[in-house]
Amino acid sequence: MNDLFDLDGRVAVVTGGGRGIGRAIAIELANAGAAVVPSARSTDELETVAEEIVAADGDAVPVPADVTDTDAVGDVIDQAVAEFGGIDIVVNNAGINPGGALGRPEAVDAEQFDRVLDVNLTGTYDVTATAADHLLESDGGSVINVASVGGLVGLPRQHPYVASKHGLVGLTKSMALDWSPDVRVNAVAPGYVSTDLTADLEADEGLRQSIIDRTPLERFATPEEIAGPVVFLASDAASYVTGSVLAADGGWTAQ
Ligand code: NAP
């Protein structure tokens, strides 16, 4: 077994780690050997993920928090360090997308716009900045921001989401410059993934088929197919990769 992907001895904080893509990321980081602190608002989901990791002989301690609550974010970072002695990996995955419910630009509600930016972009910034001292102390500090194809191209009726994800891509590149050579900062840009976030899209047969028709790999991804690229970026296999955006989109942005 090539140990380039081995995360033994590393400590990872995963926001939005209770379900969907974040759950898969938490489990796959643990499978690669990292101790994991999954965080989100729903305590029951976090506990289930942590139990699953521990049952597979991994290390996990769930810490609930809303990424828009600075004090709660501070607790996540403090508890991760108290439990495991430091932080090497931060995966900023917590995200929301009111999607088509928002409609055309002139119909977007300012409060809803702010909430999407607060969770997806400012929350990421806050978590990362709060963990900064620990990441800089690590020998293998790595930040992975879960962006979206909506961080690379425009999508109709998703203005706040697209703005937040383009912002995340910019934040990724800018932080990578500031923290080189000590901490690598990268992003993953998923295409359409089967999770609660896309359940309504998948339930609409016409919409589901139009997405599949537009996707060269002709299907939605599983959450695990996004976790793989995240494990890669967190690991020494990606030791010369920083400031990059890895599209895990079934070829969506290749056309
Ligand atoms: P999901 O199934 O809805 O899971 C979202 C996770 O984020 C949950 O654990 C949720 O837990 C957490 N979360 C939401 N708001 C939060 C907040 N304010 N503070 C802390 N945690 C919060 O969504 P997903 O599909 O797995 O999406 C995960 C990430 O991938 C998001 O950033 C999303 O934009 C991105 N992405 C998804 C797709 C897709 O097709 N699914 C495509 C591209 C990008 P609580 O509600 O308990 O807090």
Side-chain angles (χ1 to χ4, degrees):
M1 165 79 181
N2 191 326
D3 65 2
L4 274 178
F5 297 90
D6 186 1
L7 298 178
D8 198 23
R10 312 265 174 101
V11 178
V13 171
V14 181
T15 70
R19 62 176 185 271
I21 295 170
R23 171 184 173 277
I25 291 170
I27 289 170
E28 295 306 332
L29 288 171
N31 284 341
V36 179
V37 176
S39 184
R41 293 166 302 174
S42 308
T43 309
D44 51 342
E45 290 182 349
L46 291 179
E47 284 174 352
T48 303
V49 171
E51 281 164 15
E52 202 174 332
I53 290 171
V54 170
D57 287 333
D59 287 321
V61 171
V63 183
D66 185 324
V67 291
T68 65
D69 178 341
T70 300
D71 290 342
V73 166
D75 285 346
V76 174
I77 301 307
D78 289 350
Q79 285 197 48
V81 173
E83 287 288 341
F84 298 120
I87 297 173
D88 307 283
I89 300 160
V90 170
V91 182
N92 290 300
N93 164 79
I96 55 173
N97 182 12
L102 288 179
R104 289 167 53 82
E106 65 273 25
V108 172
D109 172 83
E111 259 178 48
Q112 213 165 12
F113 191 97
D114 287 347
R115 178 67 187 164
V116 175
L117 269 288
D118 281 350
V119 174
N120 295 5
L121 184 56
T122 312
T124 291
Y125 176 76
D126 195 23
V127 172
T128 311
T130 307
D133 288 349
H134 307 290
L135 289 164
L136 289 161
E137 276 168 21
S138 164
D139 284 338
S142 175
V143 177
I144 299 106
N145 297 322
V146 179
S148 163
V149 291
L152 300 172
V153 298
L155 301 171
R157 294 177 303 283
Q158 302 186 47
H159 319 295
Y161 185 75
V162 168
S164 73
K165 295 298 187 178
H166 272 72
L168 260 189
V169 168
L171 190 68
T172 299
K173 293 176 182 174
S174 189
M175 281 187 161
L177 297 180
D178 281 330
W179 282 349
S180 285
D182 301 314
V183 176
R184 295 181 301 103
V185 185
N186 292 288
V188 172
Y192 286 85
V193 187
S194 292
T195 69
D196 288 359
L197 197 67
T198 51
D200 287 348
L201 296 182
E202 283 204 88
D204 180 331
E205 185 46 35
L207 202 47
R208 190 186 80 88
Q209 195 56 51
S210 74
I211 290 166
I212 288 171
D213 290 345
R214 169 77 171 76
T215 306
L217 289 186
E218 298 178 351
R219 59 182 177 82
F220 281 51
T222 65
E224 289 71 23
E225 290 177 303
I226 310 306
V230 171
V231 171
F232 161 66
L233 289 170
S235 75
D236 291 344
S239 57
Y240 202 60
V241 182
T242 197
S244 78
V245 184
L246 201 171
D249 63 356
W252 179 280
T253 50
Q255 32 187 358

